[in-house]
Amino acid sequence: MKSKITLKELSKLLNVSVSTVSKALHDSPEISPKTAERVKELAKLHNYRPNPVAVNLKKSKTGTIGVVIPNISNSFFARVLSGIEAQAQQHDQQIITYISNESLDREKQICDLLTSGMVDGVLIAVSEETQKKAEYEHLFALLDYDIPVVVYDRINLNLPADKVGVDDEKSFYDATRFFRAKGLERIGIASAIHHVGIGKLRISGYQKAMDELPVFTARSSSEGTLKSKIEKLLITEKVEALLCTDFESAIITTRVAYEQNIKIPEDLKIIGYINKDIAEYLTPSLSYIEQHPSELGVKAVEVLNQRISGDISAGKFEEKIIATTMVHLESSKF
Amino acid sequence: MKSKITLKELSKLLNVSVSTVSKALHDSPEISPKTAERVKELAKLHNYRPNPVAVNLKKSKTGTIGVVIPNISNSFFARVLSGIEAQAQQHDQQIITYISNESLDREKQICDLLTSGMVDGVLIAVSEETQKKAEYEHLFALLDYDIPVVVYDRINLNLPADKVGVDDEKSFYDATRFFRAKGLERIGIASAIHHVGIGKLRISGYQKAMDELPVFTARSSSEGTLKSKIEKLLITEKVEALLCTDFESAIITTRVAYEQNIKIPEDLKIIGYINKDIAEYLTPSLSYIEQHPSELGVKAVEVLNQRISGDISAGKFEEKIIATTMVHLESSKF
DNA sequence: CTGAAAGCGCTTACAG
DNA sequence: CTGAAAGCGCTTACAG
């Protein structure tokens, strides 16, 4: 089998022209059935595969999409990637993965690579640092190059691009309402990500659902660690339910409860943004917001491909929201 | 900025030939400083970027490596990918990610794609199904195409390729010895992966370290579930320490201990193959074998690149083993 | 020092 | 029905 055979070599063996071979292989009606068959037979015999690089050059496209992931160890993003890969495969697209590690610098480098034209389009969730510093020039540069870009998950930023995200605000609005419907009033929220878009939205959902009720918010600040704030909420304020916007705040909360001998869910109910595969194995298991990351990935690829093919007209931007699901495990049992 | 400018367009604007522009941009000594500067200036102005597809075609390489991952939701593989990405970036290589989802069929499809020449080399961890069925033809086909292949992590298979893995056997040999050194004799092992290579190696490490001592093994079989086997070990056999070869057996063990009111680590010590980010957050936290996945990824890319560049001679195969580390958390406290 | 030409491997409009 | 030619965007040996 060894090294790859080319069209030219095939054509030589068959004593026909390269064009004839190419057409035959593409089932062109121009070619006589007889030649077509001869060609295909030999191609099969030699296990001919068109050189994708050459095909791409000819077609001025790459069949490839670039995916920028802030942190692959976060299983949320791992599962998004899984959805992306599955959907890309449906479209015969390859995905090139870049990991920014939540770093603005790395993200800039990646965007620079991306502008060189290795990919037909880009799927990106911006890094935390990028959001904090609100530095988006490199993203605008990408857009300037006319590369189709879809922003996923972290969509709460001002960028003229298509977006596919999660309904962060509604999820915690609903979770808060859930507790209220059960008659609770002392409901708090803890967050280690209050400075980034998704954190803000989750907090805002909570606040809206609290209406006139007093809100209790724990976040790290100059006056103390997140842990001390959570302790205050649990011990001094005696909240009966706590929403956690992220893994860190959820884990700290369970620690504090453990240390203070606060029983979950008897004394304290918890619902948090925490990934399924961890939530289920904690003791007690932690109720969480399921974000359907894989579907988010699938949707992101769909939108990107609509953009690439021109189905979405320039100047208009799609914004898709994936609905979340509340999953009740032990920590929110009544 | 808009759509990309080409060498030809640049050359037209400058009234020089395409070759001159190309050489100038590559700092060829053939070109006069004056022209070189003119060219570079205009190139910069128009933000010229060579079309990577064309460059690749010309150079008959792709600058890309294919990575096949069995299951990205497993944070072990996510972290391997992270190492791969980081190292590839050092070499200006892109990585194309494929996820087999532990499916043999999908793995075959992927190998088929890979043979078409999209990548300069392949990093693969074979799927569980592939191992169970011991079907390796598609991998041999890859090798037949002369595509450099490095097998990572799941290296206990008979394939003439470079391998980078983890010292599974030694890790559990050492863990067993650790318990014995503490004076324990009733040491058991639980496994949900006794049928795959890494599972066998871990069990074998345990057995070797037990010498003449009686071994206690829990694995699912026709006579009962893994859980019932573990219950037997903990209740009837009263093992004092249990090694778990995988996440599932570790989690079942903690459940059983919880249900039976067996105190960890007082009544039962545990060391398991479980990922750091979960191990640390269980209550009690679970001692684990750190496999250094990121370094494994880095090493895999290094070996692959040596193979690609011909630094490893044909017919000889590299086999690198990354040393594991025992991390003692609460579950193995004495 | 500069440029014309060939070629990487393919596709396709055009001519015969 | 078949083939010669142009071209995708680049690099580089060769000629001038």
Side-chain angles (χ1 to χ4, degrees):
Chain A
M1 210 134 290
K2 290 287 168 183
S3 61
K4 306 175 55 67
I5 193 165
T6 66
L7 270 195
K8 200 204 266 183
E9 288 160 347
L10 232 36
S11 75
K12 200 155 289 170
L13 290 172
L14 290 159
N15 271 319
V16 292
S17 74
V18 173
S19 10
T20 303
V21 178
S22 176
K23 286 174 193 163
L25 258 18
H26 285 87
D27 293 314
S28 159
E30 291 185 9
I31 302 298
S32 77
K34 263 186 57 187
T35 353
E37 203 183 337
R38 275 183 65 220
V39 171
K40 286 186 181 176
E41 207 167 294
L42 195 74
K44 174 151 237 170
L45 180 67
H46 288 273
N47 229 300
Y48 169 77
R49 311 292 296 268
N51 178 330
V53 177
V55 175
N56 289 342
L57 177 58
K58 184 68 203 171
K59 299 201 170 156
S60 308
K61 56 133 208 157
T62 67
T64 287
I65 69 189
V67 180
V68 186
I69 294 178
N71 171 10
I72 189 72
S73 293
N74 180 337
S75 87
F76 170 78
F77 286 114
R79 287 160 69 202
V80 172
L81 181 63
S82 171
I84 291 173
E85 197 264 353
Q87 188 65 12
Q89 195 232 325
Q90 297 290 316
H91 295 272
D92 288 318
Q93 292 171 303
Q94 325 284 313
I95 64 172
I96 300 193
T97 310
Y98 302 88
I99 303 175
S100 70
N101 283 322
E102 305 285 11
S103 145
L104 172 57
D105 275 350
R106 178 76 187 112
E107 192 173 285
K108 284 180 181 171
Q109 281 178 36
I110 293 169
C111 285
D112 194 54
L113 281 172
L114 254 13
T115 55
S116 76
M118 281 288 326
V119 299
D120 291 337
V122 172
L123 260 26
I124 183 170
V126 296
S127 82
E128 277 187 11
E129 195 183 349
T130 307
Q131 288 179 85
K132 277 191 219 168
K133 299 194 175 162
E135 252 193 76
Y136 301 125
E137 296 93 81
H138 56 299
L139 300 173
F140 279 100
L142 210 54
L143 263 17
D144 261 0
Y145 268 95
D146 271 346
I147 297 178
V149 173
V150 173
V151 176
Y152 70 91
D153 184 46
R154 299 170 173 181
I155 62 174
N156 192 22
L157 42 75
N158 207 342
L159 202 73
D162 301 310
K163 292 170 186 168
V164 179
V166 158
D167 199 346
D168 289 285
E169 187 171 71
K170 182 161 184 304
S171 66
F172 263 17
Y173 180 91
D174 291 348
T176 309
R177 284 286 163 185
F178 166 79
F179 286 137
R180 293 195 60 177
K182 294 287 189 178
L184 303 190
E185 300 206 331
R186 300 188 73 76
I187 306 167
I189 190 166
S191 180
I193 55 165
H194 52 274
H195 41 74
V196 301
I198 53 173
K200 288 177 190 160
L201 286 170
R202 291 169 193 175
I203 294 172
S204 143
Y206 156 77
Q207 287 169 340
K208 287 187 182 168
M210 287 300 275
D211 281 338
E212 73 301 340
L213 289 179
V215 298
F216 304 96
T217 310
R219 61 168 93 86
S220 59
S221 70
S222 46
E223 306 128 44
T225 63
L226 180 56
K227 188 172 182 197
S228 68
K229 304 298 188 64
I230 291 175
E231 282 167 348
K232 189 168 162 238
L233 251 53
L234 300 199
I235 304 166
T236 317
E237 306 286 5
K238 298 205 184 305
V239 301
E240 305 159 303
L242 193 64
L243 301 175
C244 302
T245 66
D246 54 282
F247 179 65
E248 191 181 336
S249 59
I251 281 299
I252 295 178
T253 302
T254 60
R255 287 272 150 174
V256 171
Y258 179 76
E259 290 168 11
Q260 301 295 333
N261 207 19
I262 297 171
K263 293 268 173 291
I264 300 169
E266 293 79 0
D267 307 333
L268 176 70
K269 322 277 181 203
I270 302 178
I271 294 180
Y273 263 91
I274 167 168
N275 292 317
K276 176 186 167 126
D277 52 352
I278 296 186
E280 289 176 346
Y281 294 113
L282 292 170
T283 31
S285 57
L286 224 73
S287 302
Y288 63 94
I289 306 293
E290 170 61 51
Q291 304 171 276
H292 308 292
S294 169
E295 279 134 71
L296 195 158
V298 168
K299 189 53 98 178
V301 172
E302 274 177 14
V303 171
L304 183 62
N305 279 330
Q306 284 171 25
R307 169 65 65 188
I308 289 174
S309 65
D311 286 357
I312 306 175
S313 47
K316 284 190 58 181
F317 300 105
E318 198 80 41
E319 180 158 336
K320 294 268 186 210
I321 301 297
I322 309 285
T324 56
T325 314
M326 225 183 307
V327 179
H328 289 291
L329 300 179
E330 290 164 6
S331 75
S332 60
K333 280 273 183 320
F334 278 83
Chain B
M1 210 134 292
K2 289 286 169 184
S3 61
K4 305 175 57 62
I5 193 166
T6 66
L7 270 195
K8 201 203 265 183
E9 288 160 348
L10 231 37
S11 75
K12 200 154 289 170
L13 290 172
L14 289 160
N15 271 319
V16 293
S17 75
V18 172
S19 9
T20 303
V21 177
S22 175
K23 286 173 192 165
L25 258 18
H26 285 88
D27 292 315
S28 159
E30 290 185 10
I31 303 297
S32 76
K34 265 185 56 186
T35 352
E37 203 184 336
R38 276 182 65 218
V39 171
K40 286 185 182 178
E41 207 167 294
L42 195 75
K44 174 152 237 170
L45 180 67
H46 287 274
N47 229 301
Y48 169 76
R49 310 292 298 268
N51 178 331
V53 177
V55 175
N56 288 342
L57 177 58
K58 186 65 202 174
K59 298 201 170 157
S60 308
K61 57 133 208 156
T62 66
T64 287
I65 68 188
V67 179
V68 186
I69 292 178
N71 171 10
I72 189 71
S73 293
N74 180 336
S75 86
F76 171 77
F77 287 113
R79 288 160 69 203
V80 172
L81 181 63
S82 170
I84 291 173
E85 197 264 353
Q87 188 64 12
Q89 195 231 326
Q90 296 290 317
H91 294 272
D92 288 319
Q93 291 171 303
Q94 325 286 312
I95 64 172
I96 300 193
T97 311
Y98 301 89
I99 302 174
S100 70
N101 283 323
E102 306 285 11
S103 145
L104 173 57
D105 275 350
R106 179 75 185 112
E107 191 174 285
K108 284 181 181 170
Q109 281 178 37
I110 293 169
C111 285
D112 194 53
L113 281 172
L114 254 13
T115 56
S116 76
M118 282 287 326
V119 300
D120 291 337
V122 171
L123 261 26
I124 183 169
V126 297
S127 82
E128 276 186 14
E129 194 182 349
T130 308
Q131 288 180 84
K132 278 191 218 167
K133 299 194 177 162
E135 251 194 77
Y136 302 125
E137 296 94 80
H138 54 300
L139 299 174
F140 278 101
L142 211 53
L143 262 15
D144 261 359
Y145 267 96
D146 270 346
I147 297 178
V149 174
V150 172
V151 176
Y152 70 91
D153 184 47
R154 300 170 173 182
I155 62 174
N156 192 21
L157 42 75
N158 207 341
L159 202 73
D162 301 309
K163 292 171 186 168
V164 178
V166 158
D167 199 345
D168 289 284
E169 187 171 71
K170 182 162 184 302
S171 67
F172 262 19
Y173 181 90
D174 291 347
T176 308
R177 283 286 162 182
F178 166 80
F179 285 137
R180 292 194 59 178
K182 294 287 190 181
L184 302 189
E185 299 206 332
R186 299 188 74 78
I187 305 167
I189 192 166
S191 181
I193 56 166
H194 51 276
H195 41 73
V196 300
I198 53 173
K200 288 177 190 160
L201 285 171
R202 291 169 194 176
I203 293 172
S204 142
Y206 155 78
Q207 288 168 339
K208 288 187 181 167
M210 287 300 274
D211 282 338
E212 73 301 339
L213 289 179
V215 298
F216 303 97
T217 309
R219 61 169 92 86
S220 59
S221 70
S222 47
E223 304 129 44
T225 63
L226 180 55
K227 187 171 182 197
S228 69
K229 304 298 186 66
I230 291 175
E231 282 167 346
K232 187 165 164 242
L233 252 51
L234 300 198
I235 304 167
T236 316
E237 307 286 3
K238 298 205 184 309
V239 301
E240 305 159 301
L242 193 64
L243 300 176
C244 301
T245 67
D246 54 283
F247 180 66
E248 191 180 335
S249 58
I251 282 299
I252 295 177
T253 302
T254 59
R255 288 272 149 176
V256 171
Y258 179 76
E259 290 168 11
Q260 302 294 332
N261 207 18
I262 296 172
K263 293 268 172 292
I264 300 170
E266 293 80 358
D267 307 334
L268 176 70
K269 323 277 180 202
I270 303 179
I271 294 180
Y273 263 91
I274 166 168
N275 292 318
K276 176 186 167 129
D277 52 351
I278 296 186
E280 289 175 347
Y281 294 113
L282 292 171
T283 32
S285 58
L286 224 73
S287 302
Y288 63 95
I289 306 293
E290 169 60 53
Q291 304 171 276
H292 307 291
S294 170
E295 278 132 75
L296 196 157
V298 168
K299 187 55 96 180
V301 173
E302 274 176 16
V303 171
L304 183 62
N305 280 329
Q306 285 171 26
R307 169 66 63 191
I308 290 173
S309 65
D311 288 356
I312 306 174
S313 48
K316 284 190 60 181
F317 299 106
E318 198 80 41
E319 181 158 336
K320 295 268 187 210
I321 301 297
I322 309 284
T324 57
T325 314
M326 226 185 302
V327 179
H328 289 291
L329 300 179
E330 292 164 5
S331 75
S332 59
K333 280 272 183 317
F334 277 84

